[in-house]
Amino acid sequence: MIGTGKIKQYANVLDKPLGKGKQEVSLSAFAFLFSELVQYNQTQVDNISELETRLEDAGYAVGARVLELLCHRDKGNRRETRLLGILSFVHSTVWKVLFGKVADSLEKGTEHEDEYMISEKELLVNRFISIPKDMGTFHCGAFVAGIVKGVLENAGFPAVVTAHFVPVEGQQRPRTTILIKFAEEVLRREARLG
Amino acid sequence: MDTNDSLRVASLWHSMHAISQQLSLTTGCSKIELLEGNTFDLHCFQSLTGTKFFVVCKLGTQHMEALLKVVYELYTDYVLKNPFYEMKMPIRCEVFDINLTQTVQKDRVALLGR
């Protein structure tokens, strides 16, 4: 029975099923690539906030694509319409696919209605990076903030997303918090939906 | 020791290392691995690219080669993957320092029991 073991050939690449793909990528390879991304952008900008904006834009592109892929692959093309739904989607599914684990915690901000925080002991992208003292508040997690922004905005929940360091007692490395501030219209819609 | 002194010592060692290759009686000598002084030992590890890691320790301390290999791993992780580190500059990476002190502490506890 010649040919039983052969993989079915597709005439059109668009007909091929969207497989899961290789689940694992070398961490070192990613670290070097990300390091080069940061270094390249450093040569193109004049100040730190521009650098953060560039990293965020790079992340935005990733976020938009990840949303499409995950909606098709994991959620059976169902769309999230509620705020908590999309937040837990980002917190678990997106994090699981990108970083291999769910985010450490998802909290609602106490001061403002429209603020939510995803926090993590140490972002994967930051693991090998030490920020020099003269760069102040710069955070390479701006890339991850961009990913979250891309996912949220393309799902219909416009928001401003930033990454911050939060010093913790008893630990040398501060925790990272991704702060999500939703736009007015999102809260109004949420209130209408009850 | 401040930065300048460290740089001086390092460049001294680099030159000695290079000269030793010429001085050797047997052919095919590529590096100095151990320098035994009266009051100290100096262990050196050379990577494939020629980067040298050396540690100065008390006479007779064991397992320094293993320590140097671990330091080499830390170097590749926390220094080379750091976008803010310029090649050949003195290393000022926080994460590298933290992990280095942790490794040395662990080693000290394991070796001396304290």
Side-chain angles (χ1 to χ4, degrees):
Chain A
M1 299 244 248
I2 307 164
T4 24
K6 238 164 105 173
I7 302 167
K8 185 169 170 202
Q9 300 291 336
Y10 288 90
N12 190 353
V13 71
L14 293 172
D15 291 331
K16 267 164 87 167
L18 200 62
K20 275 267 177 183
K22 269 221 206 68
Q23 300 286 15
E24 286 178 6
V25 171
S26 156
L27 177 63
S28 300
F30 172 71
F32 282 120
L33 190 63
F34 187 69
S35 156
E36 191 51 41
L37 178 74
V38 176
Q39 280 178 52
Y40 172 73
N41 283 316
Q42 256 190 320
T43 59
Q44 308 267 314
V45 298
D46 299 319
N47 55 56
I48 296 184
S49 47
E50 264 187 63
L51 184 57
E52 276 203 18
T53 316
R54 283 216 172 201
L55 281 183
E56 225 181 272
D57 290 338
Y60 186 90
V62 176
R65 289 160 177 79
V66 156
L67 176 70
E68 290 297 336
L69 182 66
L70 289 182
C71 271
H72 174 76
R73 200 193 269 172
D74 286 337
K75 285 151 62 57
N77 289 323
R78 276 194 320 274
R79 203 164 64 97
E80 291 288 345
T81 47
R82 304 307 303 263
L83 197 65
L84 281 181
I86 191 72
L87 279 174
S88 61
F89 171 70
V90 167
H91 167 274
S92 14
T93 320
V94 176
W95 236 255
K96 191 108 211 297
V97 160
L98 292 179
F99 307 121
K101 61 187 242 322
V102 300
D104 281 352
S105 68
L106 171 66
E107 295 152 8
K108 189 162 157 44
T110 41
E111 291 157 41
H112 302 277
E113 270 307 304
D114 52 354
E115 280 180 7
Y116 288 82
M117 296 172 290
I118 295 182
S119 73
E120 183 93 41
K121 181 152 176 265
E122 181 166 54
L123 282 179
L124 192 76
V125 304
N126 276 344
R127 216 162 108 180
F128 301 115
I129 299 182
S130 331
I131 315 274
K133 296 279 187 293
D134 57 358
M135 295 202 83
T137 52
F138 176 66
H139 199 314
C140 285
F143 182 68
V144 179
I147 296 181
V148 174
K149 182 167 186 214
V151 172
L152 289 176
E153 232 161 87
N154 285 288
F157 295 84
V160 173
V161 189
T162 45
H164 302 277
F165 277 123
V166 174
V168 174
E169 316 253 331
Q171 270 179 38
Q172 283 160 318
R173 300 269 283 164
R175 285 179 78 81
T176 302
T177 297
I178 312 260
L179 186 64
I180 306 170
K181 198 172 167 65
F182 285 103
E184 270 299 309
E185 53 188 74
V186 177
L187 296 168
R188 269 185 267 134
R189 189 176 67 207
E190 195 65 18
R192 249 198 343 261
L193 288 172
Chain B
M1 280 178 83
D2 69 340
T3 327
N4 284 333
D5 288 339
S6 315
L7 284 173
R8 222 168 282 139
V9 170
S11 56
L12 251 182
W13 177 247
H14 179 77
S15 330
M16 273 195 1
H17 199 105
I19 295 175
S20 74
Q21 290 180 6
Q22 311 286 327
L23 278 181
S24 156
L25 295 169
T26 54
T27 50
C29 168
S30 61
K31 51 189 173 174
I32 305 181
E33 277 184 7
L34 171 62
L35 179 83
E36 280 173 353
N38 269 340
T39 49
F40 71 95
D41 272 351
L42 188 146
H43 293 258
C44 178
F45 168 71
Q46 185 178 34
S47 71
L48 287 169
T49 53
T51 315
K52 294 177 244 329
F53 297 88
F54 68 88
V55 62
V56 179
C57 51
K58 226 166 62 158
L59 274 179
T61 329
Q62 302 290 322
H63 310 303
M64 283 293 115
E65 284 92 38
L67 176 70
L68 282 171
K69 289 227 169 48
V70 173
V71 174
Y72 181 44
E73 252 185 67
L74 289 180
Y75 173 74
T76 54
D77 276 344
Y78 297 108
V79 176
L80 296 180
K81 291 176 189 164
N82 189 4
F84 304 107
Y85 169 70
E86 291 161 43
M87 291 303 297
K88 310 202 195 305
M89 289 279 119
I91 297 174
R92 294 200 197 295
C93 305
E94 209 186 310
V95 198
F96 179 66
D97 293 331
I98 294 175
N99 279 284
L100 191 60
T101 36
Q102 268 178 8
T103 314
V104 172
Q105 288 287 45
K106 250 195 313 200
D107 227 33
R108 182 189 292 167
V109 167
L111 290 177
L112 306 173
R114 58 176 153 91

